[in-house]
């Protein structure tokens, strides 16, 4: 994709734009204010996820990329299944090894987000994809208390504990409400980490044997 500024009108967006998205598209990158660690902590603690935003140029590229992916693959879900997620999963609806989310390593895949929110450089945006359904409240679209506890436990053992002392203050997580998800057919949660070395990120996001199809 070229570095030429991309002009995409809101009405031509390949996915529903939030009011925040529409506002961001009116800005230049120079006018944009990045989410820093304290900002992310506040947004997540207040569950005010609708204010999360991408850098204007990234949002325009994301819109164009999504349109191109839908033209080539039919949907973002199909692209992810063919190019990014474990082939062993097959196609939705999945048959997970465990009905409890993040209980079996073959049921989730940790990847750096290809299209992160507009964060300060010391923050990294990770997505954990799950082939096990994460229960939500049908009225609000938000997680149930049980789902929240399951995810909290997974984040602690997979991310926080591997960072050692002080790890609690380097990891945040959230799950977008259903209405805010740009890829609704595939379960996923978001992880934000700060000041984490590349080798640790590589370890977290490596493909495991259980993700590969047997020859």
């Amino acid at each position: 994709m070229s570095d030429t500024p991309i002009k995409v009108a809101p009405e031509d967006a390949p996915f529903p734009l939030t009011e925040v998205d529409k506002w961001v598209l009116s800005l230049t990158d120079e006018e944009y204010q990045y989410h820093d660690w304290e900002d992310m902590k506040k947004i997540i603690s207040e569950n005010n996820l609708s204010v999360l935003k991408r850098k204007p140029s990234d949002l325009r590229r994301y819109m164009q990329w999504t349109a191109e992916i839908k033209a080539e693959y039919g949907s973002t879900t199909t692209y992810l299944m063919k190019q990014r997620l474990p082939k062993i999963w097959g196609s939705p609806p999945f048959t997970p090894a465990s009905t409890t989310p993040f209980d079996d390593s073959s049921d989730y895949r940790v990847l750096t987000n290809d299209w992160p929110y507009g964060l300060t450089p010391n923050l990294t945006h990770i997505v954990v994809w799950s082939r096990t359904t994460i229960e939500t409240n049908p009225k609000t679209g938000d997680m149930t208390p049980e789902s929240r506890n399951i995810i909290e436990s997974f984040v602690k053992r997979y991310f926080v504990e591997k960072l050692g002392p002080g790890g609690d203050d380097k990891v945040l997580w959230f799950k977008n409400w259903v209405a805010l998800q740009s890829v609704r057919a595939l379960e996923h949660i978001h992880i934000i980490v700060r000041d984490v070395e590349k080798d640790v990120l590589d370890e977290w996001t490596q493909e495991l044997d259980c993700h590969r199809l047997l020859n």
Side-chain angles (χ1 to χ4, degrees):
M1 195 174 289
S2 72
D3 293 330
T4 304
I6 297 169
K7 301 294 184 183
V8 182
E11 60 270 20
D12 295 328
F15 51 81
L17 294 178
T18 66
E19 291 305 311
V20 171
D21 289 333
K22 294 174 184 177
W23 173 70
V24 167
L25 290 173
S26 72
L27 303 177
T28 64
D29 282 357
E30 290 71 27
E31 294 170 325
Y32 176 81
Q33 184 172 351
Y34 290 87
H35 295 296
D36 61 18
W37 185 250
E38 292 304 317
D39 189 32
M40 290 302 301
K41 285 173 64 176
K42 184 173 187 293
I43 289 169
I44 293 170
S45 68
E46 295 175 352
N47 204 25
N48 189 23
L49 305 177
S50 62
V51 304
L52 288 170
K53 55 193 182 297
R54 292 179 173 86
K55 189 171 69 173
S57 60
D58 285 347
L59 177 56
R60 294 185 184 96
R61 280 193 288 268
Y62 182 45
M63 291 166 64
Q64 178 168 320
W65 176 86
T66 303
E68 292 171 353
I69 288 298
K70 287 184 175 181
E72 181 175 352
Y73 291 90
S75 69
T76 307
T77 297
T78 301
Y79 163 79
L80 288 167
M81 294 309 309
K82 288 186 175 181
Q83 302 294 341
R84 300 289 280 142
L85 297 178
K87 299 291 192 297
I88 197 172
W89 286 9
S91 300
F94 302 121
T95 303
S98 174
T99 55
T100 301
F102 312 111
D103 181 56
D104 191 289
S105 297
S106 67
D107 286 335
Y108 59 87
R109 182 73 170 95
V110 182
L111 295 170
T112 303
N113 194 347
D114 294 330
W115 296 100
Y117 291 111
L119 310 173
T120 52
N122 66 319
L123 305 186
T124 301
H125 187 175
I126 294 167
V127 180
V128 185
W129 299 91
S130 171
R131 68 169 169 174
T132 306
T133 300
I134 300 171
E135 188 178 2
T136 57
N137 184 317
K139 292 184 178 179
T140 65
D142 200 3
M143 292 170 288
T144 64
E146 182 181 10
S147 292
R148 187 176 293 276
N149 288 339
I150 288 171
I151 297 170
E152 188 75 53
S153 176
F154 164 71
V155 171
K156 182 177 181 180
R157 73 174 185 268
Y158 194 94
F159 296 99
V160 173
E161 291 179 356
K162 291 182 181 178
L163 293 176
D168 273 327
D169 197 35
K170 290 187 174 183
V171 181
L172 298 170
W173 71 270
F174 63 93
K175 184 181 187 297
N176 272 327
W177 319 320
V178 173
L180 295 176
Q181 294 173 3
S182 57
V183 185
R184 297 185 184 181
L186 298 172
E187 292 279 17
H188 58 285
I189 62 172
H190 298 264
I191 311 291
I192 307 295
V193 297
R194 67 165 177 163
D195 302 322
V196 173
E197 298 295 330
K198 183 180 182 301
D199 61 335
V200 177
L201 296 172
D202 289 344
E203 180 184 354
W204 282 338
T205 56
Q206 66 182 327
E207 184 180 35
L208 304 177
D209 289 340
C210 62
H211 296 143
R212 301 184 180 99
L213 287 171
L214 297 176
N215 293 326

